[in-house]
Every structure is written in structure tokens, then in C-alpha cells.
Amino acid sequence: MTSTASSPSSLRTAAAVFIARVAIPLWFFIGAVLKLIDGSPSNLPVALVKWLGALGMDLRFVLEFSIAVELIVVGAMVMLPSLSRWIGIVILAVFMPILFGDVAMGASSCGCFGAVEMPPWITLSTDVIFLLCLIFLARGVDSLKLSRTLPTWRVVAVTMWSLVSVAVAFGLTAGGTSEAVAEEKAAVVASSGPAEGYYLPEYDAWIGQPFTELDLASWIRDLPEDLDRGQQYLLFYRLDCEHCHELMEVFFAEEVPLPTTAVAIPERDGFPSERVQPFVCGECRQAELPTGIDWFFATPVLVRLAEGIVQCAAEVTAETPTCLEAY
């Protein structure tokens, strides 16, 4: 009778401890390692890029800091049982607005796992389940209760783990080996791209400016010299972007509404060779941005010029083709 009554409690305790000290730390650890391997801020959550990029923050620092925090959290949750529940609750609560932002912005990937794509709604659902488990399932579990003192050896172990985590996050994401760092820097210099290694467009700041006087214009290869003549379009697209292909099919395939220059945007390591969409804008002039840079464009992006002055610039779709003159 006693064993039957205690069985559910034992199962609950085991499940709570497993979630708090194994499942959630492993979830964070996988994300940190994959971001570390990828090493590119271009795969940060879209919400972070929009919010922090707009504040002028260095997105590479944001990437390195996020990896360091996740690794430190992993060590603390595993080695400090009495703090693992509350550490998990705080971190998961912090992640919620970012994931909600990604879902609201229609991001295709949450950016939680570097270059490995994971729909943000899946990550959000998983984090919500974990958070609820920590709040309700783990509540009252003795081994997860806060204690006034912590074993010295555990504190020392977490401190050492934290120092190593910071060193790894800020060291390896700088480009890996010295040879890789040299190659990346050489690519940036050769491309004459932004010194920070990434570019975050501020479309509103373009309005009313001569496009050729923007920093971006100086980095575009094969940009036509007659952009100051009449009305024209610039269409920024990616080779594997289905929305870009759809926009071209609907508005630019048979006859361009105005002289149009299609600017191809590569990934940091080059243009894709798989899932490349057909280029259907036969009348478009073609240009491209250089590799070696993280270009934070949510393509397709359409820019309308009048005598070379930017009249409109926006991220668009075939359904809402903002900046099209007839729209």
C-alpha cells in the first residue's frame, strides 16, 4: 500500500530531476555547440538581429555572448542541483520573447541551432513544455529546492567551466583556426565590404538618399552606371529563395515594369549550389554582392529609384509587393 502510494511521487521526482539536470542542459548544449560550429551571426534569431542590430550592437559579440551564456547555464544546471530549476526557469523565460518575435516575423528558422534550420514554433513549443515542467512538475522536489549553502567543490567546478566556456565562445567563433581567420579577413578586405563582417540594412535611412552614395552601392559588383536616369528598380534576391522566384514570376518574368537590376545576395561562404531557383527575369540586368560577409537581407527586397534617389525600399512578397509603382 505504501509503495503504491509513493510510486507516482518517485516517478515525478525522477522525471523532474531528469528534465532539470539532463534534458534541458542537453537542449542548450546542442544549440551552443551548433552555433559554435557555424560561427556566423547570420543565423542568429531574426528577432535578435532586428532588435539588437537596430541598436547598433555588434552581432558577432551577440553570437559569442549567447554561446558563452548557454554553456555556462549547462554547467550550472548539471553541477548545482539546487539552482538548476530556477536557472532553467529564468533562461527559458528570457528566450520566450525572442521566439515569439521569430514566429511573429515569419522566420523560417529560430536561429537556436546555428546553420541547422529549426522552425521557431517547434523550439517555442519545446521551451514552453520545459518551462511548465520546471514550474509545476519540479516544484517541491527536494533535490531541486534552493539551499542556503552550496558545496565548495561544485562552485569551483562551475567557475572553471564558466571560464572555459567564455574562452571557447569568444575564441572559436572568431573564425576557428588561425588559417580560417586569415582567410575570412582576406575575403572581407578583398570584397571591400563592411569591416564588421556583416551588414544590416536600414531601409528607412535609405529613403531620400542617392542610392549610389550609400555604402551598400560601393560593394555591389557590376552595378549599372545609369541608376540616376529616370525610374528604376533594384531587386535584391537569393538564388535559393522561393519567395524571390515567386515575385519574379508574377511581376518580372514577361516584361519588367521599369528598368530593373537584380542583385544576387550570397551566403558568407558563397552562393548555393542546391535548391537554386530558375532566374526568370530575362530583361533584368544582373549584379551581385561579394562573399565573405553576412548580409542580413530578408529577401526579396525591392528598391524603387527616381533619378537615382531612393523613393521606396522594403522587404516584399508577391502578395504584398511594396514599392511597385502600381501597387
Side-chain angles (χ1 to χ4, degrees):
M1 188 75 175
T2 302
S3 62
T4 303
S6 63
S7 179
S9 178
S10 300
L11 290 175
R12 174 195 168 195
T13 297
V17 171
F18 176 81
I19 290 171
R21 299 190 61 198
V22 179
I24 295 177
L26 183 60
W27 178 249
F28 290 158
F29 183 74
I30 292 173
V33 169
L34 290 176
K35 285 198 286 284
L36 193 64
I37 293 172
D38 178 45
S40 172
S42 64
N43 292 313
L44 282 169
V46 171
L48 275 185
V49 172
K50 293 286 187 180
W51 298 337
L52 300 184
L55 296 176
M57 291 192 65
D58 186 333
L59 296 178
R60 178 159 291 280
F61 172 80
V62 173
L63 172 68
E64 294 167 340
F65 181 78
S66 66
I67 293 172
V69 169
E70 287 184 327
L71 290 176
I72 291 171
V73 164
V74 168
M77 292 185 72
V78 171
M79 290 183 276
L80 299 175
S82 62
L83 296 181
S84 61
R85 176 173 178 258
W86 282 106
I87 291 174
I89 288 174
V90 170
I91 296 300
L92 289 170
V94 169
F95 286 171
M96 290 296 133
I98 299 172
L99 292 168
F100 275 115
D102 275 359
V103 172
M105 294 177 187
S108 60
S109 177
C110 68
C112 312
F113 301 96
V116 177
E117 293 194 0
M118 176 74 73
W121 68 267
I122 292 181
T123 308
L124 176 60
S125 301
T126 303
D127 283 4
V128 167
I129 292 172
F130 279 149
L131 182 59
L132 293 176
C133 287
L134 290 178
I135 293 174
F136 298 107
L137 184 67
R139 183 173 57 187
V141 174
D142 289 339
S143 62
L144 301 178
K145 287 182 178 179
L146 289 172
S147 61
R148 294 183 179 181
T149 60
L150 297 172
T152 302
W153 75 268
R154 289 184 180 272
V155 174
V156 171
V158 171
T159 301
M160 296 302 297
W161 171 267
S162 299
L163 292 174
V164 172
S165 297
V166 171
V168 168
F170 284 88
L172 296 186
T173 55
T177 65
S178 57
E179 181 180 353
V181 173
E183 290 178 356
E184 181 171 322
K185 289 184 177 178
V188 173
V189 173
S191 69
S192 298
E196 298 86 357
Y198 67 87
Y199 179 76
L200 182 66
E202 299 180 14
Y203 305 118
D204 290 341
W206 296 1
I207 306 301
Q209 302 295 319
F211 183 81
T212 55
E213 294 183 10
L214 299 176
D215 289 340
L216 178 65
S218 66
W219 302 322
I220 300 176
R221 297 170 179 170
D222 300 322
L223 189 67
E225 298 181 357
D226 63 350
L227 293 181
D228 59 348
R229 300 176 189 172
Q231 295 196 56
Q232 299 192 35
Y233 288 127
L234 291 171
L235 175 58
F236 292 85
Y237 75 103
R238 297 183 189 275
L239 273 61
D240 57 352
C241 169
E242 295 181 3
H243 293 299
C244 303
H245 175 71
E246 183 181 359
L247 181 75
M248 288 186 186
E249 281 276 12
V250 176
F251 297 104
F252 296 90
E254 296 182 0
E255 182 179 355
V256 293
L258 291 174
T260 302
T261 300
V263 182
I265 302 175
E267 302 302 325
R268 171 178 283 270
D269 57 355
F271 289 97
S273 58
E274 299 179 354
R275 298 187 297 177
V276 174
Q277 302 292 314
F279 186 80
V280 297
C281 184
E283 296 185 12
C284 286
R285 296 178 292 186
Q286 297 187 52
E288 64 181 43
L289 285 164
T291 59
I293 304 293
D294 290 314
W295 303 104
F296 286 101
F297 287 85
T299 53
V301 172
L302 192 60
V303 179
R304 187 176 73 246
L305 307 177
E307 307 302 332
I309 307 299
V310 178
Q311 303 296 309
C312 181
E315 297 168 356
V316 301
T317 64
E319 292 75 24
T320 55
T322 312
C323 295
L324 275 180
E325 193 174 27
Y327 176 69

